[in-house]
Amino acid sequence: MTAAVRPVESLVTRSASLETAVAGTAILVLVCGLLVLVGFPLWSLLSKSLYVRGEFAGLQNFIAYVTTPALSRSVINSLFVALVTTLIVVPIAFAYAYALTRTSMRAKGLLYATALVPLFAPSLLPAISLIYFFGNQGFLKSWMFGGSIYGPAGIIMAEVFYCFPHALTILVAALRLADARLYEAAEALGASRPRIFYTVTLGGAKYGLVSAVMVVFTLVITDFGIPKVIGGQFSVLATDVYKQVMGQQNFEMGAVVGVILLIPAVIAFLVDRLAQRRQVALVSARAVAYAPNRSPLRDAAALALCIVVSGIFLAVLGMAVWASFVTYWPYNLGLTLQHYAFEIADSSGWQPFFNSLEVAALTAICGTAVIFVGAYLVEKIRAFPVLRFVAQFLAMLPMAVPGLVLGLGYIFFFNAAWNPLNVLYGTIAILVLNCTAHFYTVPHITATTALKQIDPEFEAVSASLKVPFWRTFTRVTVPISLPAILDIAVYLFVSAMTTVSAIIFLYSTDTKLASIAAVNMDEAGFTASAAGMCVLVVLASMTVKLLQVLADRLLLDRLQAWRRR
Amino acid sequence: MTDEASKGVTGVAPYLRVRNLVKTYGTFTALDSVSLDVVAGEFVCFLGPSGCGKTTLLRAIAGLDPQTSGTIEQAGRDISNLPPPARDFGIVFQSYALFPNLTVAANVAYGLVSRGRPKAETAERVTMLLQLVGLSDQGAKYPGQLSGGQQQRVALARALATSPGLLLLDEPLSALDARVRIHLRREIKDLQRRVGVTTIMVTHDQEEALTMADRIVVMNRGAIEQIGSPAEVYRKPATEFVADFIGAMTFIPASALDDTHVKAGPLVFETAPFSIRQGSTVKLGIRPEEVRVRNLGADVPNRLDTRIEALEFLGAFARARLVPVVAPELQVTADFSMNALRDLSLVEGQSLTVSLPPETLRVFPVPQ
């Protein structure tokens, strides 16, 4: 009896240790991958900032930076536009989110979708649109009262468009988490409406507000496309990095500006993480969902606000579309397709658009696979706590790193002569790697959240049934998480499609991307073609998003019969 | 500890042998040197309040949260440091952890498929198991379409599918309605008896433990308070904690006179034998249902004249607060059936003579 049982047992023990080995190797590969994608490039950047012409110089570069007024001026400029944009965006986004979540106005779905439109455009699109509205030949130029759109005013207006949906999604999420019982309790205690609003509504959403403030601030500080197009002589940190690196080939000083750019982003990131952690503690499982009652006056006011805001967004997008078809602004407003013959404006022609589709698709496919598997390893494997902690840290890091800074780090790391990976330089592959790294954190959080909602005992049950974890991963975890996985893929596609910042340092003539082509065409004076390229990007991103919605409705419904009760 | 742990299983080699198990989280001790034997085929309940370490002990036996120190042997094999897949157990969780995207049949077959057995054999076994838990016609449904009680049975069938040597149940009934719970108690117990699998169940519900277990392991603050059959644990609680946690008990402060008598105020009670030093402060424990009121002869021991201070109606019985006439500072709780209540026409404020049978009176030491 015993003799017959023993071989089976040793087989089981061996397969169990095989499982541990597979898990360990997978986590190790993940950590190494993240180090190459994020850790080493950042390290290269930090160390580069301490060198002058290859010699270690300590903080000399930083001293030079601070004592050059033309450069240090940008710090003030960047902080100024970021602050003003935040002060404009967050209150409006809050009102908009409040209208969407706490009133009974009509057409909520449509109005929410409209407000998210800017997510699908490269950041320079609103800048180009504003030039058509308020620029030297803009038809609303008189509204500027003699001021110029080229400078802080233009930057701030364009950034408002660009940042609004980011703030809105955060605030909608925060306001949606309302516990009706708190309102009932406050009313029962005889609190006045303003007091209820201040204590319950704002109180519940305060961490969401902090988060929105931090996200908007960071987005503005680190955005490159808008100040590049509409900034004129008004220099900000992001354009300084570009000028130092691409204009003057001063990589060390570029690295210094990059490090300075990193500081506010890291601070904002840390504050945001703290706020998020607190927010979780506020939500109780027993909360009763809040259902807004009808209030004609309030609902009408909310609807009016939302229509005005989303109307402006549509106008900005519409202007870019229109301008891309106008023959010769503003003298010949006849429509033409000539601006879409991109080879006139840029020798690469349509190639950048196809490159963008390729990079976005590859990022969506490879990035989603890596990020979801990575999140699974971090969240569900019980062994190797130290490695998992390192992986989690590296996965959260990209959120704090502005695209330009990461791009610069990539030049230093991947272009180094000693690095065997420098064969990647100038290929589509490095653009895909960079996009995956740059946008790693948000999908990682999405995946982690989805995984956290799955019963933590699935792995324990599988272990007791002697089913290896990868089998449960493919048979159970992935099918259950399919909606989240689709979400991640679409997010990565749209982000890779619209990004300007990181990849501006990494493309070659053969691998130029659509948004970069738009920047170049705008620089060369072919503004209409630049607008046209941006419109194509919007079209591609929105198509993919619509496909996701359709997939969610049709495909998932059919494939996932188990979700129906 | 070792001797006590082996009590009741002498002569039979234990199937599961746990020795000096310690589990610490930082400075918190979740398990404090726990030792325990389980015989093959036995149904053992870990019973205790939340945070007593019962689930920690179960998860250590499964290898899900390995112990800090100590050893676990299963069927003569040292499994202390083996990962869960290398151990031999099936487990049912409070949440059932059924895979929502797989049908009931696929859930049950989950552990069989990966063993590379022929398809027909697997299907046959699944049919057999579903029949065993009374869900023959539910195989094609998804877990979300079943009631809580049905889901629980699917989880049970899945855990039993691979014929594990040890079945672990982690509060399997606590997510269910009271009525379903009572029904399933008997079903699980019957099933366990039929299959004959050694079973450990964690519960905080004393009724569950008393009705289902062959032996109960009462735990408190990471340590075992008592191991014994349900009757033993109930009738002869080893500690004040056990007495209080299982069933109801009134405690009266007293001092030990000799090994069968204690003195409480002016009263002297004859008790079950105990071994506590004379003169020590003790607590005298009386179960409310053991207070006698009928057929009291003049020479009955522990006769007591009391007054009914309060009478609380609890459905099938009434709970009375009795105050001894000569020692009004002492209080005794007594349960009377509705029958007794009616026959003796008991009302509040009335005088009542009772007796406290010595063999039911337990004496517990009071820690200094």
Side-chain angles (χ1 to χ4, degrees):
Chain A
M1 177 76 194
T2 321
V5 167
R6 275 288 137 76
V8 178
E9 273 181 1
S10 69
L11 202 72
V12 166
T13 313
R14 212 181 309 149
S15 76
S17 54
L18 168 74
E19 231 181 291
T20 316
V22 169
T25 314
I27 296 176
L28 201 62
V29 168
L30 176 73
V31 168
C32 292
L34 282 170
L35 279 175
V36 171
L37 283 182
V38 185
F40 295 147
L42 270 183
W43 179 251
S44 309
L45 174 96
L46 290 175
S47 60
K48 194 79 165 181
S49 69
L50 301 177
Y51 284 82
V52 173
R53 280 179 296 280
E55 305 247 329
F56 185 77
L59 293 176
Q60 199 182 312
N61 285 325
F62 288 88
I63 294 162
Y65 179 85
V66 175
T67 50
T68 312
L71 285 175
S72 51
R73 175 82 209 154
S74 310
V75 177
I76 313 263
N77 287 350
S78 275
L79 291 175
F80 172 73
V81 289
L83 195 68
V84 176
T85 308
T86 309
L87 287 178
I88 296 172
V89 167
V90 174
I92 300 178
F94 185 85
Y96 205 107
Y98 189 87
L100 289 175
T101 53
R102 302 294 177 85
T103 72
S104 305
M105 73 174 182
R106 287 162 178 280
K108 279 183 188 169
L110 183 69
L111 286 168
Y112 192 23
T114 315
L116 296 185
V117 158
L119 286 180
F120 302 100
S123 67
L124 65 157
L125 180 138
I128 291 173
S129 271
L130 287 173
I131 289 172
Y132 280 104
F133 274 114
F134 305 110
N136 289 335
Q137 291 170 328
F139 65 89
L140 295 179
K141 186 163 186 273
S142 57
W143 289 23
M144 295 294 295
F145 301 110
S148 169
I149 192 72
Y150 301 98
I155 295 178
I156 290 166
M157 284 158 78
E159 295 287 5
V160 167
F161 176 91
Y162 169 60
C163 298
F164 188 85
H166 295 275
L168 183 65
T169 43
I170 293 169
L171 291 171
V172 164
L175 284 170
R176 212 171 248 163
L177 297 171
D179 188 346
R181 296 173 310 167
L182 287 180
Y183 286 88
E184 284 161 6
E187 268 168 35
L189 291 168
S192 64
R193 293 206 155 273
R195 178 130 185 264
I196 292 177
F197 179 83
Y198 186 75
T199 54
V200 182
T201 309
L202 273 187
K206 75 180 162 212
Y207 297 116
L209 275 171
V210 171
S211 203
V213 166
M214 291 304 150
V215 165
V216 171
F217 194 84
T218 315
L219 277 174
V220 179
I221 287 261
T222 58
D223 177 52
F224 165 74
I226 288 170
K228 176 84 183 65
V229 169
I230 206 169
Q233 299 303 309
F234 189 81
S235 64
V236 293
L237 285 170
T239 46
D240 272 357
V241 178
Y242 184 71
K243 271 187 249 165
Q244 290 294 331
V245 173
M246 302 305 269
Q248 306 182 7
Q249 298 287 309
N250 186 346
F251 290 98
E252 280 98 352
M253 197 47 89
V256 167
V257 186
V259 172
I260 288 167
L261 202 50
L262 201 51
I263 296 168
V266 168
I267 292 174
F269 170 77
L270 292 178
V271 172
D272 180 46
R273 292 315 301 167
L274 264 166
Q276 299 261 335
R277 206 164 290 169
R278 297 260 178 100
Q279 177 80 55
V280 175
L282 271 175
V283 188
S284 98
R286 282 204 215 144
V288 177
Y290 175 86
N293 55 347
R294 292 204 165 273
S295 159
L297 202 66
R298 182 200 62 194
D299 295 348
L303 189 62
L305 171 91
C306 292
I307 287 177
V308 169
V309 173
S310 55
I312 291 173
F313 284 174
L314 288 180
V316 169
L317 180 67
M319 177 52 97
V321 177
W322 184 36
S324 71
F325 289 111
V326 164
T327 312
Y328 189 54
W329 186 273
Y331 307 106
N332 178 358
L333 294 181
L335 299 184
T336 170
L337 280 173
Q338 74 189 35
H339 304 304
Y340 283 86
F342 295 122
E343 56 282 356
I344 296 167
D346 184 313
S347 58
S348 334
W350 274 69
Q351 194 54 44
F353 179 66
F354 299 125
N355 287 343
S356 267
L357 287 179
E358 189 183 344
V359 168
L362 283 171
T363 307
I365 295 164
C366 308
T368 305
V370 169
I371 292 170
F372 191 80
V373 171
Y376 176 85
L377 293 172
V378 169
E379 186 62 35
K380 297 283 185 185
I381 299 293
R382 303 184 72 87
F384 312 106
V386 177
L387 275 180
R388 282 189 294 126
F389 179 81
V390 174
Q392 174 70 8
F393 173 78
L394 288 170
M396 295 307 288
L397 194 56
M399 182 95 113
V401 181
L404 278 179
V405 177
L406 190 66
L408 205 51
Y410 268 54
I411 302 186
F412 298 145
F413 179 67
F414 282 98
N415 203 23
W418 55 264
N419 192 339
L421 291 171
N422 63 17
V423 293
L424 292 175
Y425 205 74
T427 63
I428 287 281
I430 198 171
L431 296 177
V432 174
L433 289 181
N434 180 261
C435 283
T436 305
H438 184 186
F439 301 111
Y440 198 100
T441 308
V442 170
H444 177 76
I445 294 172
T446 308
T448 310
T449 311
L451 289 168
K452 270 191 208 299
Q453 285 165 356
I454 297 178
D455 196 319
E457 309 297 9
F458 281 0
E459 277 66 31
V461 165
S462 306
S464 81
L465 295 172
K466 305 188 175 26
V467 176
F469 72 87
W470 53 84
R471 191 174 157 78
T472 303
F473 175 76
T474 52
R475 259 198 94 189
V476 178
T477 313
V478 169
I480 292 180
S481 311
L482 218 48
I485 291 174
L486 258 182
D487 245 14
I488 291 170
V490 170
Y491 174 87
L492 285 174
F493 185 94
V494 171
S495 300
M497 201 73 207
T498 55
T499 187
V500 188
S501 52
I503 46 158
I504 196 125
F505 297 130
L506 300 175
Y507 72 91
S508 66
T509 43
D510 296 333
T511 64
K512 191 188 276 186
L513 299 184
S515 48
I516 306 288
V519 171
N520 289 348
M521 290 189 284
D522 173 74
E523 213 165 18
F526 295 98
T527 316
S529 290
M533 194 57 103
C534 289
V535 169
L536 287 180
V537 170
V538 175
L539 217 59
S541 312
M542 278 189 168
T543 307
V544 167
K545 183 70 195 175
L546 283 177
L547 284 178
Q548 184 205 357
V549 174
L550 278 179
D552 260 342
R553 292 257 166 90
L554 302 175
L555 199 79
L556 290 188
D557 206 42
R558 202 162 301 167
L559 280 179
Q560 309 215 311
W562 55 272
R563 285 188 199 275
R564 281 197 296 267
R565 292 272 144 154
Chain B
M1 191 72 223
T2 309
D3 290 336
E4 198 192 334
S6 314
K7 197 156 71 179
V9 297
T10 32
V12 192
Y15 176 73
L16 187 76
R17 185 197 288 269
V18 175
R19 284 295 173 272
N20 306 318
L21 219 59
V22 174
K23 173 83 183 177
T24 53
Y25 296 99
T27 58
F28 175 72
T29 305
L31 287 179
D32 188 4
S33 191
V34 167
S35 297
L36 159 84
D37 286 339
V38 178
V39 191
E42 208 180 5
F43 194 123
V44 170
C45 271
F46 294 172
L47 175 66
S50 58
C52 72
K54 55 191 191 298
T55 298
T56 312
L57 179 55
L58 188 89
R59 293 182 72 92
I61 292 171
L64 297 170
D65 290 322
Q67 67 280 4
T68 313
S69 69
T71 59
I72 305 171
E73 276 174 40
Q74 184 179 359
R77 184 168 71 124
D78 184 358
I79 58 166
S80 313
N81 299 311
L82 294 181
R87 302 189 184 196
D88 178 22
F89 69 96
I91 191 163
V92 174
F93 291 101
Q94 186 179 350
S95 65
Y96 318 138
L98 293 175
F99 305 125
N101 61 321
L102 303 181
T103 61
V104 166
N107 263 286
V108 175
Y110 199 77
L112 300 170
V113 171
S114 70
R115 307 206 163 174
R117 293 191 191 159
K119 259 196 182 143
E121 194 187 314
T122 301
E124 199 180 316
R125 177 132 181 92
V126 169
T127 312
M128 198 274 280
L129 284 159
L130 286 177
Q131 209 166 11
L132 192 68
V133 296
L135 292 172
S136 303
D137 48 348
Q138 310 285 330
K141 286 192 181 169
Y142 290 102
Q145 297 164 326
L146 302 183
S147 71
Q150 289 173 317
Q151 291 186 26
Q152 209 276 341
R153 284 185 277 177
V154 175
L156 205 57
R158 182 179 63 180
L160 290 172
T162 52
S163 310
L166 181 64
L167 179 63
L168 304 177
L169 309 172
D170 185 5
E171 305 241 6
L173 301 174
S174 60
L176 298 168
D177 296 341
R179 204 172 274 275
V180 182
R181 198 151 57 198
I182 290 167
H183 176 69
L184 269 176
R185 257 190 225 160
R186 188 171 324 135
E187 248 180 59
I188 292 181
K189 179 65 189 163
D190 285 352
L191 190 67
Q192 189 265 341
R193 219 171 262 153
R194 254 182 296 157
V195 179
V197 61
T198 313
T199 302
I200 298 177
M201 181 171 94
V202 161
T203 181
H204 62 264
D205 182 335
Q206 43 149 325
E207 239 180 79
E208 226 166 86
L210 289 172
T211 53
M212 295 173 78
D214 296 326
R215 280 197 305 150
I216 298 177
V217 177
V218 187
M219 295 184 68
N220 185 31
R221 298 178 183 206
I224 294 179
E225 293 268 339
Q226 185 175 8
I227 302 178
S229 70
E232 265 174 336
V233 169
Y234 190 85
R235 296 220 184 92
K236 296 177 185 164
T239 65
E240 188 191 341
F241 171 83
V242 176
D244 196 29
F245 189 76
I246 301 174
M249 192 170 258
T250 321
F251 295 101
I252 296 174
S255 62
L257 291 179
D258 55 39
D259 57 2
T260 50
H261 289 88
V262 298
K263 187 172 190 298
L267 301 167
V268 172
F269 292 98
E270 187 187 340
T271 69
F274 60 91
S275 51
I276 297 173
R277 202 164 50 85
Q278 267 187 27
S280 313
T281 313
V282 295
K283 276 186 181 172
L284 176 65
I286 307 161
R287 294 248 184 241
E289 70 273 19
E290 300 285 7
V291 176
R292 307 269 160 88
V293 281
R294 300 199 224 203
N295 309 324
L296 303 180
D299 55 344
V300 74
N302 297 341
R303 208 183 139 100
L304 199 59
D305 294 324
T306 67
R307 199 171 57 84
I308 302 177
E309 176 112 323
L311 203 56
E312 194 182 0
F313 175 65
L314 287 168
F317 65 98
R319 181 157 287 177
R321 198 158 79 227
L322 307 177
V323 178
V325 176
V326 292
E329 72 279 7
L330 303 180
Q331 285 190 351
V332 178
T333 306
D335 288 348
F336 300 124
S337 70
M338 279 341 244
N339 254 331
L341 209 62
R342 206 166 29 234
D343 293 355
L344 303 166
S345 51
L346 301 178
V347 289
E348 281 183 10
Q350 181 187 340
S351 295
L352 184 67
T353 302
V354 301
S355 99
L356 310 176
E359 67 277 13
T360 67
L361 295 191
R362 311 290 305 177
V363 179
F364 303 106
V366 173
Q368 298 303 311

